[in-house]
Amino acid sequence: MAAFQTSQEGDIHILAVSGRLEPQGGKDLKDTMETLTSSSERRDLIVDLQDLDYMASAGFRELFMAGRKLSRQKGRLVVCGLRGEVKRVFELARFDTAYPIFEDREAALNYLRTSI
């Protein structure tokens, strides 16, 4: 089962996902993403997957939908902390070309703070 922890660094929102995001966890991720992207204001979001061991296709769908929504609001979604099987699936599905990917949260924060 996956756990979701949200935080904020200045005006940048962070979602850390840990554990295993099984297919039934897609709804929980969707609900969390909707909360983080519900504002009509421009918003940037870091999705930190450092402690995620597995992500079902439902998780990829929710990332894609949140990224699309943020893009329409002139916000950005970036991903960090990919490792192991999750990283391999990101690469196989070519999601590593859909969003900026960073080794760790600090690199993602630096990117969002310095780029427009």
Side-chain angles (χ1 to χ4, degrees):
M1 186 160 109
F4 308 102
Q5 180 180 2
T6 60
S7 60
Q8 197 168 336
E9 286 276 338
D11 59 350
I12 300 169
H13 294 265
I14 301 167
L15 170 62
V17 185
S18 60
R20 293 180 57 85
L21 186 57
E22 303 288 348
Q24 63 273 20
K27 170 130 176 46
D28 295 333
L29 179 60
K30 178 181 182 178
D31 293 345
T32 303
M33 289 290 209
E34 284 182 1
T35 299
L36 291 170
T37 62
S38 64
S39 172
S40 61
E41 298 175 13
R42 180 185 182 274
R43 188 172 279 194
D44 292 332
L45 173 64
I46 295 172
V47 179
D48 186 343
L49 303 178
Q50 176 67 39
D51 295 320
L52 187 67
D53 298 319
Y54 171 81
M55 183 162 62
S57 60
F60 287 98
R61 179 187 185 285
E62 295 311 323
L63 279 179
F64 176 77
M65 298 303 288
R68 203 164 87 182
K69 184 176 183 179
L70 286 170
S71 180
R72 285 193 305 263
Q73 298 168 344
K74 306 297 186 225
R76 299 171 288 178
L77 182 140
V78 300
V79 177
C80 69
L82 291 177
R83 61 181 183 79
E85 185 66 18
V86 176
K87 181 177 183 177
R88 188 180 77 77
V89 173
F90 255 79
E91 291 168 350
L92 286 173
R94 304 295 294 156
F95 268 86
D96 61 334
T97 61
Y99 308 107
I101 308 287
F102 299 92
E103 286 294 317
D104 56 34
R105 188 181 294 191
E106 194 58 40
L109 284 166
N110 288 336
Y111 169 79
L112 291 173
R113 288 178 182 143
T114 59
S115 67
I116 295 178

